[in-house]
């Protein structure tokens, strides 16, 4: 059995990028509204993403996916059989699994999404053989 655990460094890096966008968006919105205190948009963006990151960290770091010879099993009773996976791709540092029935699952905050995809595809090929 292979486990895919989220990585804290990847989580922090993703939140750093979100922070930059949130700060810029907050400042842009205040500039468009002709607010003389544009800098408060940066403070608000930083505070919002920092609070979200702190609040969600424990829950997200517990979201471990496991792969055996026939399926992927994730948190909250998520499951995808390997023979039903239609597509595996990266989405912003995460790995997205799309099944033939249209279900979508994210294996979040992986330090090397390509390696995860390679392992899943190798297991799929092994099962098909």
């Amino acid at each position: 059995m292979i486990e895919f655990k989220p990585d804290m460094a990847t989580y922090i890096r993703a939140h750093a990028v979100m922070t930059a966008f949130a700060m810029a968006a907050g400042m842009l919105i205040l500039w468009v509204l002709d607010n003389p205190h544009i800098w408060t948009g940066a403070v608000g963006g930083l505070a919002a993403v920092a609070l979200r990151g702190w609040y969600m960290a424990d829950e997200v770091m517990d979201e471990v996916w496991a792969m055996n010879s026939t399926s992927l099993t994730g948190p909250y009773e998520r499951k995808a059989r390997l023979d039903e996976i239609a597509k595996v791709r990266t989405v912003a540092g995460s790995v997205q699994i799309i099944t033939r029935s249209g279900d979508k699952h994210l294996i979040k905050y992986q330090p090397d999404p390509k390696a995860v995809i390679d392992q899943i595809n190798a297991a799929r090929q092994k099962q098909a053989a």
Side-chain angles (χ1 to χ4, degrees), residues 2 19 27 37 52 120:
I2 299 171
T19 299
M27 292 175 68
H37 306 290
R52 178 200 185 275
I120 293 169

Side-chain angles (χ1 to χ4, degrees), residues 88-90 94-95 112-122:
V88 184
R89 64 182 177 188
T90 61
S94 297
V95 175
D112 188 359
K114 185 178 177 339
V116 173
I117 291 171
D118 290 345
Q119 288 179 308
I120 293 169
N121 285 334

Side-chain angles (χ1 to χ4, degrees), residues 48-60:
V49 176
L51 182 63
R52 178 200 185 275
W54 171 77
Y55 184 76
M56 297 289 294
D58 289 343
E59 183 178 329
V60 171

Side-chain angles (χ1 to χ4, degrees), residues 41-117:
V43 174
L46 173 65
V49 176
L51 182 63
R52 178 200 185 275
W54 171 77
Y55 184 76
M56 297 289 294
D58 289 343
E59 183 178 329
V60 171
M61 289 298 117
D62 288 339
E63 292 183 2
V64 177
W65 283 79
M67 181 174 65
N68 61 29
S69 61
T70 60
S71 64
L72 276 162
T73 306
Y76 316 111
E77 299 180 19
R78 294 181 190 143
K79 190 168 189 172
R81 287 188 12 210
L82 295 177
D83 61 350
E84 290 185 3
I85 294 174
K87 192 171 193 176
V88 184
R89 64 182 177 188
T90 61
V91 175
S94 297
V95 175
Q96 184 180 48
I97 309 294
I98 304 171
T99 65
R100 287 188 175 84
S101 63
D103 293 335
K104 294 179 181 177
H105 305 286
L106 275 180
I107 303 175
K108 298 178 186 174
Y109 305 111
Q110 296 300 299
D112 188 359
K114 185 178 177 339
V116 173
I117 291 171

